[in-house]
Amino acid sequence: MKKFAKIVALVLVFAMALGVMAACGDNTNPTTTSADKGNKVTVTWYNGSEELKTEQVEKGTKLTSWTPTVEGKTFTGWFKEASLTQAFDFETVINEDTDIFAAFKSDAYVEDTNEYYLIGSGSGDMKVSGWDHANSQANLMMTKDTSVTNANVYKITITMYAGDRFQICFGGDWNGQQGIGYIPGCEYADGINPNNNTEYTAADKKYAEVKDADGNVVFIGGDEYDKESYVWNIILADGQDGKYEFTLTTYPSNMGYNTIDWKLVEKLEAQEETHNMQIIGTNNEWATDGTGVQMNKSEDGSYWTGFLTVTAEMWADWLPEGAKAAVKVYNMVDGAYYGIGGENIILEEETTYAFKYIVETNEVIFEKLEYYVVGTFKDADGNAVNFCVKLGVTPAMIVENGLATVEFTAYDVTDMNDYNWMVAQGKPGVMAVKVVYGCELGILTWYSDEANGGDNFYLEAGNYIIALDIATGEVTVRLEDPIA
């Protein structure tokens, strides 16, 4: 027995020695060195908090998509984070540990009891909306297709002309608005954002397109409030005038899986351009050669607006005493002139004026610009006055020695449906404001919170003094008395 024990002990010692030698041998293997381990990263694939699989990959690797299966659910894609809001880009080069999350849509049918409608503007059928929820609900309601079983499908057919735009809403407010990002095939692209006329690349994610099977751009959209493309307006591109059928398929348990499909029902000729309005007069020696001040057409084509700054160079010796300039609105298409009562519009101050030409009545209105605080206000009837000038509602500022100032009271407006975007951005219980140079006819210049990236000023309930240094454009906001 002793001899047997000695033999076993020798065998164990020998085996341990071999193990040590093998380990030393591994250190000479170029595939398992410490340095080599530093060239690998961990990729973990998740379904929620459930780990689907983990793998080691070389740094600089591009991953390959695969399809996981979950009983009773359909896989819809991979995302960068657990909230499933940003799709994972498989062109991404992996250089660090990475988590990727799967999205699944339940196969169980849940009935949608919401009523959906289009809201927007344009010169086609969207003209009746005018961005008014009540108008849209009365005239642009989608019809639920009851012939489709175990699915929530809504349809509408509308006439659209270039520049017409809309979103899909329900419930009479902006909650759950749906835009171009819900159209299959919508992609970020190089182009000009129609909301600010700024050119972007696809990497900026500020402009998006939807193309037809032939590669023609049919719909465009652009970022307006630093939001994702899912809420951007669906805007008809130039040369795509026609009747379109839109089909909304909804999933009440997860709106993120909704889709907006489209079909061209009938191609239409582009609308004939009947107006192209400019402001001409002593500002350009009454020239009709296109050197006047160009006015901008409204989204629905019902009016044109423009701004003119009067300077000393616009004075003429035939003007009435005290007048600084004389102008009319001129239609470049048919050569017609429009003033006040058929006469010239006499401007009496060296300042900036806003002009509005109304197509239906050929009426011209003009106002002098002033400084105002605008934002999430509401009028005496409780209606939203959202970032526009309305006399008696938006505070007018007093200008002295190059400084525009105003005292006003901020209050909580986030209980209003029109302002639920503030709650969504995590800013409940406040009023959002900016300073502007404008009037009820339009706003020429905006002054924002430049210290916070040009965002709004978000004010809790209280009494404030707001001041604008006109020369520098700097705005200061001082809380005088908080309101509990």
Side-chain angles (χ1 to χ4, degrees), residues 220-444:
I220 63 172
D223 178 34
E224 195 169 2
Y225 299 110
D226 292 326
K227 294 185 178 182
E228 293 192 18
S229 63
Y230 296 104
V231 297
W232 297 356
N233 294 326
I234 300 170
I235 306 173
L236 190 68
D238 291 340
Q240 299 298 325
D241 308 73
K243 290 184 178 180
Y244 288 86
E245 179 186 73
F246 293 94
T247 302
L248 171 68
T249 304
T250 68
Y251 299 89
S253 58
N254 195 326
M255 183 179 140
Y257 298 130
N258 291 4
T259 59
I260 301 173
D261 294 286
W262 63 275
K263 179 176 68 175
L264 175 62
V265 177
E266 180 185 353
K267 182 72 174 177
L268 299 176
E269 293 295 326
Q271 285 184 313
E272 181 181 357
E273 187 63 76
T274 59
H275 292 76
N276 183 11
M277 312 307 291
Q278 288 196 343
I279 303 169
I280 68 170
T282 56
N283 60 304
N284 74 331
E285 298 182 349
W286 301 96
T288 59
D289 58 359
T291 58
V293 175
Q294 182 64 47
M295 302 179 75
N296 297 312
K297 183 170 66 173
S298 65
E299 291 180 356
D300 62 3
S302 64
Y303 62 89
W304 293 69
T305 56
F307 300 93
L308 173 67
T309 299
V310 177
T311 64
E313 289 76 18
M314 297 179 187
W315 181 82
D317 57 8
W318 55 266
L319 286 169
E321 184 178 354
K324 305 297 182 181
V327 298
K328 281 186 176 179
V329 172
Y330 175 69
N331 188 349
M332 296 281 291
V333 175
D334 64 10
Y337 297 84
Y338 303 96
I340 304 295
E343 302 295 328
N344 295 330
I345 301 169
I346 303 301
L347 306 176
E348 298 180 342
E349 296 184 45
E350 292 182 11
T351 187
T352 301
Y353 293 85
F355 290 81
K356 181 176 183 178
Y357 165 75
I358 302 171
V359 173
E360 185 176 359
T361 61
N362 290 325
E363 181 184 7
V364 177
I365 307 170
F366 70 100
E367 288 184 29
K368 185 175 69 172
L369 271 58
E370 305 283 1
Y371 291 93
Y372 294 90
V373 174
V374 301
T376 50
F377 290 90
K378 53 186 175 181
D379 62 20
D381 298 322
N383 298 317
V385 182
N386 204 350
F387 288 91
C388 62
V389 175
K390 185 173 182 179
L391 297 181
V393 178
T394 49
M397 307 179 78
I398 298 173
V399 178
E400 290 183 355
N401 301 319
L403 195 67
T405 60
V406 67
E407 299 181 27
F408 84 102
T409 300
Y411 48 89
D412 179 7
V413 300
T414 52
D415 59 332
M416 297 182 65
N417 287 333
D418 302 77
Y419 304 142
N420 60 11
W421 57 269
M422 294 171 58
V423 178
Q425 291 183 9
K427 302 182 185 298
V430 301
M431 174 179 280
V433 301
K434 282 184 170 77
V435 172
V436 300
Y437 184 49
C439 63
E440 287 190 314
L441 299 184
I443 294 172
L444 179 62

Side-chain angles (χ1 to χ4, degrees), residues 89-123:
D89 183 0
F90 283 91
E91 289 300 311
T92 302
V93 174
I94 305 300
N95 286 311
E96 60 185 2
D97 292 347
T98 302
D99 295 335
I100 307 175
F101 298 85
F104 292 90
K105 174 175 65 67
S106 174
D107 295 335
Y109 170 67
V110 178
E111 183 181 3
D112 192 339
T113 59
N114 291 310
E115 294 183 325
Y116 293 89
Y117 56 90
L118 275 54
I119 185 169
S121 66
S123 53

